[in-house]
Amino acid sequence: MTRRLTTIKDIAKALGISVATVSRAMRDTYDVSAETRKLVLDTATKMNYRPNFNATGLVKSGTHKIAVIIPAITNYYFSTVITGIQEYALEHNYQVMLYLTNDSAYWETKVVRELSLSSVDGLLACITYETTDFSHFEELVEVDMPLVFFDRVPESIKTSAVVQDDYTGACMATEHLIAQGYSKIAHLAGPRGLNLTQQRLRGYLDTLKKHNLESYGVIHSGFSDENGREDMVTLFDSPLKPDAIFSVNDRKAFGVILWLREHNIRVGEEVGVIGFTNDPTSKIISPSLSTIAEPAYEIGRKSCEVLIRHIQKQTYPRQEISLPTELVVRESTRR
Amino acid sequence: MTRRLTTIKDIAKALGISVATVSRAMRDTYDVSAETRKLVLDTATKMNYRPNFNATGLVKSGTHKIAVIIPAITNYYFSTVITGIQEYALEHNYQVMLYLTNDSAYWETKVVRELSLSSVDGLLACITYETTDFSHFEELVEVDMPLVFFDRVPESIKTSAVVQDDYTGACMATEHLIAQGYSKIAHLAGPRGLNLTQQRLRGYLDTLKKHNLESYGVIHSGFSDENGREDMVTLFDSPLKPDAIFSVNDRKAFGVILWLREHNIRVGEEVGVIGFTNDPTSKIISPSLSTIAEPAYEIGRKSCEVLIRHIQKQTYPRQEISLPTELVVRESTRR
DNA sequence: TCTGGTTTCGATAACGTTCTCGCTACTATT
DNA sequence: AATAGTAGCGAGAACGTTATCGAAACCAGA
């Protein structure tokens, strides 16, 4: 009825030795003879022994678990980041606990607050675009819980962070549009307050200024393709119609392309479109979408690496890592 | 230096009562007066107390954690299933540990074998398409570890399973093609051995037979769009060219559509294409892809529900649940 | 033979909870 | 007034592991 697992005690009893010896034999070989060690290991596998992490965690106050808190995983970027996190974690014998906030600040605070501090060694977080109050995270740093943010990072709270180079990426996108001969460029920005929307907006504006160009509109909204469509309506409702769109991300750019197609406006020739992410769908959509490729997988691995270093050494200094992006030219910016 | 969390003992000392009373006050109100209970709860929040799951897990041999083992999360179906799992789990106070196998049987066995049995209450698994030896899962059922499979289930091992109705879905897809006037239908199947490729293949073949039609080819390969392209090459290399393609999934169908477009074959009019999944990209690709919609989110929720029932009642009978699919007609099957 | 130093092991106390008793004090019943 | 019952609480064991300390056994050197 109740699952009865073999414990270290059972092995000790079976071999007629003490639990202490078994425990020692299990991990490092010091203080235990080679033969008893082998004996213990053999009977352990024979009895199908699995260590009880609750017990080890209790005494060594360190579970080998990290929590990942992320708005969603149903898009290319996030799911790829998680994949990177997961792989690095598993390679280093850490296990990943997944928490989805669904971009709701309520759920985020709830999850973080209820998270049993004793059940994870550290936290990897990407905030929702609603979050403005970060006290739930601040409580964590107060008790010295290792915490690193990725992609979306709150500026007020001083911990390590791993992001892509949003500013330079935005500059590259805008430069590319200008180089292709577009001059009336609008920007579909992300939700206000997010570091990444600010950086990408700044890159866009700075590049325009550098070339003495005026902005043809900046609209803040969400990340979905539906948001892209909606923004196009308001954008093309004005007398000053842009001849190019720089979208804060690919999904929104998909909406832009679909809208343009529906209105028989030739994408590329008449209106150029560039996104940000390099979602696989950008190759599939027609015309294919030019974009700024984000190193999502590497961001996952790197942020996990930084977190584990923080866990293993309290003195590991705070990191602010920015990974390079890359321009990918496709049909949507070809005249 | 070492994170020192407030324990139940600290609260007891602060209030001058015993740990037992604090422990009781923490959970249910029985055997403790309302006022002490309130007192305990207040000082608990005041001292920022968080329960130590290692300790509770140790004594009650039950962590509130479930493990999810899945080939990947970088596609619509899997990421949506995980979302469903995650939401149901969180609603019922269970936490999710994520393990990615990357469709490698080696990693799958490794992960399952190294999984500390004591650190999770149950397992939710979707096998890789490589897995043929299921002994690592059988070892789990031997020690009565609750285990339920979803989507891809091994037939040899008798546990609960939650899937979409692959057979009926394939019938619907084939019926639809026939109703649209296509008669030379080929099937791009999934990897051999997987239950879902068998079911979808069987649905396709049975429906053809029902209408006295011949198969215009069945090719087994992987799930990617690249696989779809490759299969089209071999398919159109033969003298018997099909006029419709039923793909085992959407991603592969995307490859088919791209290939057809590149070869100037009009999708829909000349060659009909239907997929399986209802990936959001199927709306974005042009022409848009007809498909069989899978209830991915519900599969996640349902399989999690079944697992938790198994965890909470050992006598809960084995379930084999099959959720309905739905035909979604778009441009790729319109003549 | 005695001393001192290894090597190998065992007893036992932790870790933070929950659980099983049992004890007190109060209330209700006769 | 005596007894039974109950509400509220505390003492201590248990969960499976690691860490600390010390004991035995052996060996070498004197």
Side-chain angles (χ1 to χ4, degrees), chain A residues 160-209:
Chain A
S160 285
V162 178
V163 296
Q164 55 280 342
D165 190 343
D166 292 305
Y167 177 77
T168 315
C171 292
M172 281 160 57
T174 316
E175 286 284 3
H176 170 66
L177 288 175
I178 296 169
Q180 292 294 103
Y182 303 104
S183 58
K184 309 180 198 166
I185 305 173
H187 178 41
L188 302 192
R192 288 176 202 280
L194 237 44
N195 60 309
L196 95 229
T197 72
Q198 287 171 2
Q199 297 300 317
R200 294 181 194 178
L201 174 58
R202 205 162 57 81
Y204 158 77
L205 291 176
D206 285 0
T207 308
L208 285 187
K209 182 174 291 175

Side-chain angles (χ1 to χ4, degrees), chain A residues 120-179:
Chain A
V120 295
D121 290 351
L123 239 79
L124 231 40
C126 176
I127 58 174
T128 79
Y129 57 65
E130 289 186 355
T131 317
T132 50
D133 175 19
F134 301 106
S135 51
H136 47 299
F137 285 120
E138 279 156 6
E139 290 168 15
L140 288 183
V141 309
E142 270 171 26
V143 291
D144 286 328
M145 169 70 81
L147 170 61
V148 1
F149 288 99
F150 62 90
D151 190 39
R152 306 184 190 166
V153 329
E155 287 164 12
S156 61
I157 159 171
K158 290 298 165 216
T159 58
S160 285
V162 178
V163 296
Q164 55 280 342
D165 190 343
D166 292 305
Y167 177 77
T168 315
C171 292
M172 281 160 57
T174 316
E175 286 284 3
H176 170 66
L177 288 175
I178 296 169

Side-chain angles (χ1 to χ4, degrees), chain B residues 62-260:
Chain B
T63 67
H64 258 221
K65 296 183 182 60
I66 60 176
V68 178
I69 299 182
I70 199 166
I73 53 165
T74 51
N75 66 60
Y76 167 75
Y77 180 81
F78 285 147
S79 62
T80 308
V81 171
I82 294 263
T83 304
I85 292 172
Q86 165 74 31
E87 290 198 12
Y88 190 91
L90 236 55
E91 285 167 16
H92 292 75
N93 256 294
Y94 277 80
Q95 297 174 298
V96 171
M97 318 217 37
L98 183 67
Y99 299 90
L100 267 36
T101 62
N102 201 22
D103 257 321
S104 141
Y106 166 77
W107 272 103
E108 184 183 276
T109 53
K110 188 175 159 66
V111 160
V112 172
R113 284 243 164 73
E114 287 185 0
L115 188 71
S116 176
L117 295 186
S118 52
S119 66
V120 295
D121 290 351
L123 239 80
L124 232 37
C126 177
I127 58 174
T128 79
Y129 56 66
E130 288 186 352
T131 317
T132 51
D133 175 19
F134 300 106
S135 52
H136 49 298
F137 285 120
E138 279 156 6
E139 289 168 15
L140 289 183
V141 308
E142 272 172 26
V143 292
D144 285 326
M145 168 70 82
L147 170 61
V148 1
F149 289 99
F150 63 91
D151 190 38
R152 307 184 189 167
V153 329
E155 288 164 11
S156 61
I157 159 170
K158 290 299 165 214
T159 57
S160 286
V162 178
V163 296
Q164 55 280 342
D165 191 343
D166 293 304
Y167 178 77
T168 315
C171 292
M172 282 160 57
T174 317
E175 286 286 2
H176 171 65
L177 288 176
I178 295 169
Q180 292 294 103
Y182 303 103
S183 58
K184 308 182 201 168
I185 305 173
H187 178 40
L188 302 192
R192 287 176 202 281
L194 237 46
N195 60 309
L196 91 231
T197 71
Q198 287 171 5
Q199 297 300 318
R200 294 181 194 178
L201 174 58
R202 207 162 56 80
Y204 159 76
L205 291 175
D206 285 0
T207 308
L208 285 188
K209 184 175 290 175
K210 182 179 154 197
H211 291 269
N212 284 316
L213 290 174
E214 296 279 315
S215 167
Y216 266 65
V218 171
I219 305 183
H220 287 272
S221 68
F223 289 121
S224 74
D225 56 337
E226 207 43 55
N227 290 130
R229 299 183 99 103
E230 291 161 7
D231 294 349
M232 288 303 278
V233 174
T234 61
L235 210 54
F236 276 70
D237 217 24
S238 92
L240 292 173
K241 298 194 200 329
D243 67 356
I245 309 284
F246 166 38
S247 169
V248 70
N249 73 333
D250 282 356
R251 293 212 309 290
K252 210 163 173 172
F254 299 153
V256 171
I257 290 184
L258 294 181
W259 189 90
L260 288 170

